[in-house]
Each structure stands twice: as structure tokens, then as C-alpha cells.
Amino acid sequence: MSEKQRLRVSTGITYTAVLDFSRETVLYLARLLEAERRSRGTRRATRRLGAFRQAVLVLRWLLDNTRIAQLAADNGISGRTCHRYVLEGIAVLKAHAPTLEQAIERAKAAGHTHVMLDGALIETDRCRVPGPSGGVDLWWSGKHKRHGGNIQVLSAPDGFPLWTSPVRPGREHDMTCARAHGLLTALDAAAADGLVLIADTGYEGAPSSFRLPHKKPTGGELTPTQQQFNKVIGAIRALAEKANADLKTRFKALRHVSLSPQRIGDITAAALAIFHFEKGRTA
């Protein structure tokens, strides 16, 4: 057989890749997966992949949004098995992400004077799920002009993400989502202990303890004092965007989700758990 013929029948190219995670991070997830297998009573040698290789698979998906078909081929498993492995990894990581109550208590313990709240849209494939109003998909965001899920992100004064919410349909506004997650009550109570909440005008109608920019009145102008206040709030709040950007930059899986949009909240929480472990901090 000629060289040209041999190249034509070749089924693929093998190459070396490096996963942009430390070995400690992979071992961390592997330990969680191994503990989950023990809790389920999974017998040894009944899984195609060990906990370490499954951890690598899950982290590849989170980090690079590697296609399920590619991960399956690389590991010699079926697409269905690979999909199940990814969901298992997401579930164990989500279980180790902080709750809202934990995030607030950690922020207090760290001595933060304030925390910031901001909404993020995690894009998803088109979902023809009817919304409450006719002609608009449930997951369509009119603000962003694309399909996705709304995630609320609570961050520290330096823009470090402390907590991420479960997902709400992209059509819902930030204030609607905040109410659904019980954020207004929890953060208003935290304000009584001196932890101020700073947010943008998307949370208009929040308790008076929230610090929001002044909106320009209809037919009027903001006073010089109000304008200066808005500049200060805007400068402080700019770091809230950093929390969203850090998660989306580190984890490409958060840039566009092809799984069910109902899983967006779990995926974001899983990414947050890994982010906290990597940075060695939670507040």
C-alpha cells in the first residue's frame, strides 16, 4: 500500500494535550466522585473509567466545553455514558458550592463592608418553550436578544464570586429572579448587621437597605448630589461585572450551554465550587 493510500484509510490523528488545571484540582474532584460511588454502593471495576479519569473528563467539559462526542471517543465510551459521567461530576461539585446563607455568613466573617449583586445571562441553544405571554419563548431574553438562563451572582467587594443562584428563564428580569430566590429578604436581614448590598437599577423596588443608583426622573434632572452618588456607586459596582467575567472566562461551558437549560444553575454552581478550590478562598 502506498503512503497516499495509508493516509486515506487513517481513522484519526492522535495528539498530546495539557489540561489547564493543577493535579490537586483533578484529585479534589476525583475524591468527590470516589466518595459518591461509595455512597451509592458502586462495586469496584464496574465502571469504564476510574474516578481520576472521570474527573479529567468532567473538567475538560467545564473548562473547554469539549463536545460530548469528542470526550466519549477520547475515552472509549459511549456518548450516553459520557453524558452521564458529566452530569455526575456537575452534581457532586454543585453539592460543595456554598448556599446563599453560607455566602452571607462568610462575607460577614471576612469583614466585608458590602457585597454586590448582578445578573448574568448564560446562553443556551434555542428552546421552543412557550412563555406566559404569547409569541415569546420562555428562555428568550428580550434584553440580550438571545436564548439563555438568568443567574444571579453575589460577589465580594473585590469582585470575587461568592454565590451563584439556581437558574431562572432568560425572559425574567433581575428583580423577578431576586424575589424568586429569596434574595431580598436574606440581604435585607444582612444589612441590619452592617453588610450593605450594592446593585444596579435592575433591582428597583428592592428594600431601602439596598444601595442603588438614582434613576433620572421623567422630565427632570438628577441633583448634583445624586449624580455624585451615582458615580461612586458605579465605580464600586463595576467590580460586580468582574465576578461574572471571571467565571465565564475560566469556564467555557458557561459561555454557551447545549444541555437542558434547566441545568444551567447546576453547571454554574459546579464551576463556582472549582473556582473556589483553585483560588483557595470562599469569601
Side-chain angles (χ1 to χ4, degrees):
M1 182 183 294
S2 68
E3 180 67 19
K4 187 174 182 180
Q5 289 174 318
R6 283 197 296 271
L7 289 173
R8 188 179 299 122
V9 300
S10 176
T11 58
I13 302 296
T14 300
Y15 63 95
T16 300
V18 176
L19 183 64
D20 188 22
F21 280 112
S22 67
R23 186 174 182 84
E24 289 72 23
T25 301
V26 180
L27 289 172
Y28 166 69
L29 177 52
R31 288 192 294 269
L32 297 182
L33 290 168
E34 185 63 39
E36 176 65 16
R37 293 183 183 190
R38 288 197 300 271
S39 70
R40 292 184 180 187
T42 303
R43 300 191 306 277
R44 290 190 174 277
T46 58
R47 291 291 194 101
R48 290 294 301 275
L49 299 184
F52 186 88
R53 288 185 62 191
Q54 184 182 355
V56 172
L57 181 152
V58 172
L59 291 174
R60 282 184 63 192
W61 185 85
L62 278 172
L63 182 69
D64 293 324
N65 202 14
T66 309
R67 294 178 298 113
I68 294 292
Q70 183 64 58
L71 291 171
D74 291 347
N75 288 277
I77 56 179
S78 68
R80 180 174 296 183
T81 298
C82 183
H83 184 264
R84 176 164 54 85
Y85 279 172
V86 168
L87 294 185
E88 286 177 358
I90 291 171
V92 298
L93 286 171
K94 178 203 169 188
H96 285 76
T99 64
L100 176 60
E101 293 73 19
Q102 288 174 332
I104 292 174
E105 288 305 315
R106 289 170 181 175
K108 292 178 184 177
H112 294 325
T113 57
H114 66 276
V115 290
M116 297 174 289
L117 182 64
D118 194 25
L121 185 81
I122 306 297
E123 292 184 38
T124 185
D125 293 342
R126 185 178 184 184
C127 302
R128 282 186 168 275
V129 180
S133 55
V136 181
D137 291 347
L138 182 65
W139 296 90
W140 173 258
S141 169
K143 176 182 177 180
H144 298 277
K145 307 301 180 185
R146 56 183 68 103
H147 287 80
N150 183 300
I151 294 292
Q152 298 292 297
V153 181
L154 195 68
S155 58
D158 63 351
F160 183 81
L162 303 175
W163 172 83
T164 58
S165 73
V167 69
R168 297 292 299 179
R171 71 177 303 279
E172 295 186 1
H173 297 291
D174 286 336
M175 187 60 172
T176 302
C177 297
R179 287 196 180 99
H181 300 312
L183 282 167
L184 305 185
T185 302
L187 292 170
D188 190 40
D193 295 330
L195 187 66
V196 176
L197 188 284
I198 295 177
D200 60 24
T201 54
Y203 298 90
E204 185 180 14
S208 59
S209 60
F210 284 43
R211 298 294 183 265
L212 312 177
H214 295 288
K215 293 188 73 173
K216 184 178 178 179
T218 304
E221 296 291 338
L222 295 176
T223 67
T225 300
Q226 291 173 327
Q227 292 176 14
Q228 188 62 36
F229 178 84
N230 283 1
K231 288 181 181 179
V232 174
I233 288 292
I236 295 173
R237 229 203 96 262
L239 288 172
E241 302 288 345
K242 178 179 180 296
N244 297 340
D246 282 349
L247 290 175
K248 286 188 176 182
T249 299
R250 181 62 173 141
F251 303 99
K252 291 182 181 178
L254 297 180
R255 300 181 193 177
H256 188 98
V257 174
S258 294
L259 301 181
S260 167
Q262 297 284 0
R263 297 191 183 278
I264 290 175
D266 294 351
I267 295 167
T268 309
L272 181 68
I274 286 292
F275 193 79
H276 280 184
F277 179 82
E278 282 192 298
K279 299 299 181 182
R281 61 175 284 195
T282 58

